[in-house]
């Protein structure tokens, strides 16, 4: 084996080792990269106990309560199946609204109340002018009404 | 080459006009969403340039073509710049909208890894004195690192991330008002033209520099 | 055109800082890269002259 070939083999072996290392790192990340748990996972007990984790879902409609004379905020995170009550004290991001996406970091106490120390807003990938959004909303409402009226007769046998 | 810069300038002007004067306000994010007009094209470029570099590196290894390696080398700083821009504009967008400059979610983390891959490639390229060896080693590095690009792209599908899904993709209708989409596409085309112009310019410099070096080495050998 | 005034355009609905910093950094990066390339080319010309 020539010296040149030896060196080439050495470099290639090094790079393969690097690739394997990278794969391992990415694999380790994979299990850790779950950015948040859904309320259903939390209720089922899949979320880590006693350590800080993130919970994600929608801010339940009508669940937002602010305490007078303090920054304490109380709301529920829902994935439409299960819900988790959250308490948070601090400033909320601009996009935080009821019925919108949210990700909160914190700990679950024994009563199932989630004490958040950071609240992030999660928005979707839709971009449109406000008028278009309004039109869509109205269309959805009309749709819902008609579908309800269509479903109603079947619903009561 | 000057043509690409002329085209890029025209496209940027048109893109900026659409982005700021024609595109309407967004229903959720107000005016802050206008960052999308550079954030998304920059992120696209960061991934695409990497794939292009990996392809040039593959060509170089397969055909033993030196110019092919030089093309990869010429694209690297531009790709790094776009990755950096995608991260920094994302950060400037995340702060007001999400409430955080940075979060360790899959999309953001894998994009950061992309930045390190670019830097690693350039470091490896400059670590060897023999440019042939540098070309080969860094080409293998590039091709191995290419697995990160699909990870970035699909991270929002594979894992729960704070980052939202893709607004524009080949498989579904864009989730964006048409005029906003046009602004973004124009900016993306402008970045394309700019990248081609810059890369061609840089590859010329690299060719001349390598020739210079080779000539200097020959002179040295003759003296010996 | 939906901007009421020049001030409103600069303010970007309260997000002026974020929007303009983003666009500003992008412009700076591009200008920097082009300047860097120009310098690289000039150095080459000097080298070839010697």
């Amino acid at each position: 084996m020539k010296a040149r070939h030896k060196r080439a083999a050495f470099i290639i072996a090094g790079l393969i080792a690097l690739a394997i290392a990278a794969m391992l790192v990415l694999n380790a990340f994979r299990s850790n990269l779950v950015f948040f748990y859904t309320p259903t996972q939390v209720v089922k007990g899949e979320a880590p106990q006693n350590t800080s984790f993130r919970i994600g879902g929608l801010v339940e409609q009508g669940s937002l309560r602010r305490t007078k004379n303090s920054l304490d905020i109380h709301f529920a995170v829902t994935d439409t199946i299960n819900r988790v009550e959250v308490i948070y004290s601090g400033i909320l991001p601009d996009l935080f609204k009821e019925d919108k996406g949210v990700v909160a970091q914190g700990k679950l106490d024994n009563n199932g109340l989630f004490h958040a120390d950071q609240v992030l807003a999660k928005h979707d990938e839709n971009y449109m002018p406000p008028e278009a959004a309004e039109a869509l909303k109205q269309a959805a409402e009309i749709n819902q009404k008609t579908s309800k009226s269509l479903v109603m007769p079947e619903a009561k046998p | 080459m000057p043509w690409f810069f002329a085209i890029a300038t025209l496209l940027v002007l048109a893109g900026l006009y659409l982005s700021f004067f024609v595109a309407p306000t967004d229903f959720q994010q107000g005016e802050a969403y206008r960052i999308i007009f550079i954030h998304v094209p920059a992120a696209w470029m960061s991934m695409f340039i990497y794939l292009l570099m990996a392809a040039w590196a593959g060509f170089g290894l397969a055909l033993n073509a030196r110019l092919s390696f030089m093309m990869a080398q010429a694209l690297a700083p531009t790709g790094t710049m776009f990755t950096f821009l995608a991260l920094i504009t994302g950060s400037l967008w995340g702060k007001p909208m999400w409430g955080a400059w940075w979060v360790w979610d899959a999309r953001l983390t894998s994009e950061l890894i992309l930045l390190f891959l670019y830097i690693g490639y350039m470091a490896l390229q400059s670590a060897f004195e023999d440019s042939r060896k540098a070309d080969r080693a860094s080409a293998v590095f590039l091709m191995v690192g290419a697995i990160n690009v699909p990870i970035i792209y699909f991270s929002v599908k594979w894992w729960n991330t704070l980052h939202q899904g893709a607004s524009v993709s080949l498989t579904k209708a864009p989730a964006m008002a048409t005029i906003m989409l046009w602004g973004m596409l124009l900016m993306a085309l402008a970045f394309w033209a700019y990248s081609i112009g810059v890369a061609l310019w840089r590859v010329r410099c690299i060719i001349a520099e390598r020739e210079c070096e080779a000539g200097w080495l020959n002179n040295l050998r003759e003296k010996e | 055109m939906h901007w009421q005034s020049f001030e409103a355009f600069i303010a970007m609905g309260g997000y002026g800082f974020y929007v303009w910093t983003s666009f500003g950094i992008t412009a700076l990066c591009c200008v920097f890269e082009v300047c860097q390339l120009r310098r690289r080319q000039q150095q080459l010309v000097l080298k070839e002259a010697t």
Side-chain angles (χ1 to χ4, degrees):
Chain A
M1 216 189 204
K2 275 186 205 161
R4 205 163 56 110
H5 288 155
K6 228 179 219 169
R7 218 175 299 136
F10 191 70
I11 288 171
I12 288 168
L15 283 162
I16 289 169
L18 192 84
I20 292 168
M23 295 274 273
L24 286 176
V25 167
L26 285 167
N27 210 25
F29 257 126
R30 207 185 155 99
S31 51
N32 235 329
L33 269 184
V34 178
F35 190 69
F36 57 80
Y37 293 87
T38 60
T40 303
Q41 284 174 311
V42 173
V43 168
K44 276 188 188 161
E46 283 171 26
Q49 307 285 326
N50 303 322
T51 51
S52 178
F53 68 95
R54 294 195 192 85
I55 180 171
L58 294 173
V59 181
E60 197 179 55
Q61 190 81 49
S63 71
L64 184 63
R65 285 201 311 278
R66 285 167 207 272
T67 329
K68 266 183 198 167
N69 305 325
S70 84
L71 280 170
D72 284 4
I73 295 142
H74 205 100
F75 60 92
V77 176
T78 172
D79 56 1
T80 67
I81 302 161
N82 286 295
R83 63 199 294 278
V84 171
E85 295 271 341
V86 178
I87 188 159
Y88 172 66
S89 164
I91 298 158
L92 291 168
D94 295 0
L95 281 185
F96 184 90
K97 272 187 199 110
E98 285 186 347
D99 214 23
K100 293 279 176 205
V102 69
V103 173
Q105 169 141 36
K107 273 184 190 170
L108 206 60
D109 70 6
N110 296 328
N111 305 322
L113 185 66
F114 191 83
H115 295 264
D117 39 48
Q118 191 188 27
V119 170
L120 302 170
K122 178 172 163 61
H123 63 80
D124 58 23
E125 65 271 32
N126 296 307
Y127 301 91
M128 59 184 118
E131 304 86 51
E134 193 56 38
L136 271 184
K137 208 172 140 195
Q138 276 170 6
E141 272 166 17
I142 290 165
N143 230 331
Q144 221 169 20
K145 268 178 205 158
T146 49
S147 62
K148 256 183 200 161
S149 60
L150 283 173
V151 167
M152 281 294 240
E154 271 178 63
K156 34 179 179 177
Chain B
M1 201 179 68
W3 283 105
F4 286 109
F5 287 113
I7 293 168
T9 316
L10 284 178
L11 284 169
V12 160
L13 289 176
L16 284 176
Y17 178 71
L18 276 190
S19 313
F20 280 112
F21 298 109
V22 184
T25 308
D26 180 59
F27 75 116
Q28 307 190 80
Q29 307 188 27
E31 310 298 348
Y33 95 96
R34 289 180 200 280
I35 295 174
I36 202 175
F37 294 118
I38 41 176
H39 175 70
V40 173
W44 281 346
M45 289 313 293
S46 73
M47 291 188 282
F48 189 77
I49 289 179
Y50 192 91
L51 287 182
L52 204 60
M53 282 166 62
W56 279 120
F59 268 129
L61 285 177
L63 307 172
N64 201 13
R66 305 200 67 194
L67 189 63
S68 192
F69 291 125
M70 288 190 241
M71 270 315 291
Q73 201 188 342
L75 282 163
T78 311
T80 315
M81 184 192 87
F82 280 123
T83 314
F84 169 74
L85 285 176
L87 287 168
I88 204 95
T89 56
S91 183
L92 282 162
W93 194 2
K95 182 60 187 167
M97 290 299 113
W98 295 345
W101 294 105
W102 178 264
V103 289
W104 291 101
D105 96 337
R107 176 51 79 75
L108 278 69
T109 309
S110 52
E111 182 77 11
L112 185 67
I113 291 176
L114 183 68
L115 183 67
F116 291 150
L117 283 176
Y118 274 118
I119 294 171
Y121 164 77
M122 291 193 293
L124 196 60
Q125 179 77 42
S126 61
F128 291 85
E129 244 168 61
D130 179 359
S131 66
R132 275 166 190 269
K133 241 181 254 167
D135 282 344
R136 278 167 195 287
S138 54
V140 177
F141 178 87
L142 267 183
M143 289 170 72
V144 171
I147 42 161
N148 189 40
V149 174
I151 292 177
I152 299 175
Y153 190 78
F154 293 111
S155 56
V156 290
K157 275 192 196 162
W158 292 345
W159 299 291
N160 289 338
T161 54
L162 184 62
H163 197 287
Q164 68 283 4
S167 298
V168 184
S169 74
L170 293 173
T171 47
K172 65 177 174 74
M176 245 181 136
T178 319
I179 193 71
M180 297 175 176
L181 187 65
W182 271 106
M184 212 164 85
L185 290 179
L186 274 181
M187 291 301 274
L189 284 174
F191 282 4
W192 263 86
Y194 170 83
S195 303
I196 296 172
V198 169
L200 286 179
W201 192 356
R202 191 176 288 114
V203 83
R204 275 190 190 176
C205 290
I206 292 171
I207 291 169
E209 277 163 8
R210 287 196 182 186
E211 270 173 6
C212 239
E213 240 166 77
W216 182 75
L217 276 176
N218 279 342
N219 279 344
L220 208 71
R221 273 189 204 127
E222 273 166 25
K223 271 178 199 165
E224 280 171 2
Chain C
M1 178 92 60
H2 60 278
W3 302 105
Q4 304 295 326
S5 67
F6 184 68
E7 283 76 29
F9 178 63
I10 293 299
M12 278 287 147
Y15 298 115
F17 169 75
Y18 302 104
V19 175
W20 296 121
T21 317
S22 297
F23 280 81
I25 289 176
T26 308
L28 277 180
C29 278
C30 293
V31 169
F32 177 78
E33 194 181 16
V34 168
C35 287
Q36 198 81 343
L37 271 172
R38 186 167 290 165
R39 205 181 311 152
R40 194 166 172 176
Q41 197 175 29
Q42 275 167 356
Q43 268 171 355
L44 266 174
V45 172
L46 281 178
K47 237 187 223 171
E48 268 165 21
T50 53

